């Protein structure tokens, strides 16, 4: 649990050479940057941020976004309680693929938590669950192998230089096996390098994912 020391002091902007920190509150159905009092501006070389005391009502939902090198590293949610920021109060909902979907209700909105990730609506939760299933299916089916006609143009200790349908490609020996004008490759490598038509593979993935889509929709609807 993240507990702020009284009063709640926050920084908004670029707080170090590679770090950024932002705070938002949910107000009137949308997010806005939090209000601060006793503000102080800091600007030195690569640093540029405002620091102040959080000036929001009790029970306000607060979202903290932390970035490193321009990439979002974490998004956390809290509820303001007096002079502290407390974790959301979440209850267990349905289970999916061995993980529990948690339901975190506040006065203003409902947030869902699954596998350490937060979702502000059911639509984004459904997209995440579907994408997770697709990745698992792709990983499983992508390990299957395809044999293609090829011409050996060069070779090193670790890779073959092959010509497949007029296209030169380096194939790591740890990935493919070459023998007598044929190379055996995993489907994922063929797809990533556009070496052959993998429409059948993609259709199989779509069919596998489709089996889960109805299950996901029913599960989320019941939350």
């Amino acid at each position: 649990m993240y507990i702020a020391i009284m009063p709640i002091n926050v920084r908004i902007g670029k707080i170090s050479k590679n770090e950024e920190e932002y705070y938002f509150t949910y107000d009137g159905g949308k997010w806005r940057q939090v209000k601060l009092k006793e503000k102080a501006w800091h600007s030195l070389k690569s640093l540029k941020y405002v620091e102040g005391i959080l000036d929001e009502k009790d029970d306000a939902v607060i979202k903290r976004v932390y970035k490193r090198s321009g990439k979002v590293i974490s998004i956390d949610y809290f509820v303001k309680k007096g002079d502290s920021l407390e974790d959301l109060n979440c209850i267990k909902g349905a289970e999916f693929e061995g993980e529990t979907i948690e339901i975190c209700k506040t006065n203003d909105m409902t947030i869902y938590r699954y596998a350490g990730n937060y979702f502000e609506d059911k639509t984004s939760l459904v997209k995440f669950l579907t994408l997770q299933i697709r990745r698992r299916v792709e990983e499983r089916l992508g390990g299957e192998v395809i044999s293609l006609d090829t011409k050996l143009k060069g070779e090193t200790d670790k890779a073959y230089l092959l010509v497949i349908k007029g296209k030169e490609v380096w194939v790591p020996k740890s990935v493919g096996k070459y023998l007598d004008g044929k190379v055996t490759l995993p489907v994922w490598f063929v797809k990533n390098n556009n070496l052959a038509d993998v429409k059948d593979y993609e259709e199989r993935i779509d069919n596998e994912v489709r089996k889960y889509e109805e299950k996901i929709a029913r599960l989320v609807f019941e939350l």
Side-chain angles (χ1 to χ4, degrees), residues 60-194:
V61 181
I62 306 295
K63 174 164 66 174
R64 173 183 180 266
V65 179
Y66 173 73
K67 294 183 177 182
R68 185 182 299 134
S69 299
K71 181 181 179 181
V72 174
I73 300 300
S74 65
I75 299 178
D76 299 296
Y77 296 82
F78 308 98
V79 175
K80 184 177 181 293
K81 295 290 185 181
D83 293 309
S84 67
L85 291 178
E86 299 184 0
D87 284 336
L88 298 179
N89 183 24
C90 303
I91 61 173
K92 291 183 178 180
E95 284 202 5
F96 183 76
E97 296 292 293
E99 291 274 359
T100 301
I101 299 174
E102 296 178 278
I103 306 166
C104 314
K105 291 191 175 183
T106 72
N107 291 342
D108 298 316
M109 65 188 304
T110 298
I111 296 173
Y112 304 91
R113 183 165 61 194
Y114 177 80
N117 300 285
Y118 289 93
F119 306 91
E120 296 177 9
D121 53 60
K122 291 184 178 181
T123 300
S124 56
L125 174 59
V126 167
K127 287 181 179 179
F128 179 85
L129 297 178
T130 304
L131 180 60
Q132 187 176 60
I133 289 297
R134 176 169 289 275
R135 286 173 176 167
R136 290 182 184 179
V137 173
E138 286 178 343
E139 184 177 346
R140 175 166 54 84
L141 296 183
E144 296 180 2
V145 296
I146 295 176
S147 182
L148 301 175
D149 293 327
T150 187
K151 179 181 178 181
L152 180 64
K153 189 172 182 179
E155 182 178 358
T156 68
D157 291 340
K158 295 184 178 181
Y160 302 107
L161 177 57
L162 302 176
V163 180
I164 302 174
K165 291 187 176 181
K167 181 178 181 178
E168 287 188 9
V169 59
W170 281 101
V171 176
K173 292 181 177 180
S174 59
V175 173
K177 294 182 179 180
Y178 170 80
L179 181 65
D180 298 331
K182 296 276 188 181
V183 62
T184 302
L185 296 166
V187 175
W188 66 263
F189 188 89
V190 174
K191 179 184 178 182
N192 290 351
N193 291 276
N194 196 28

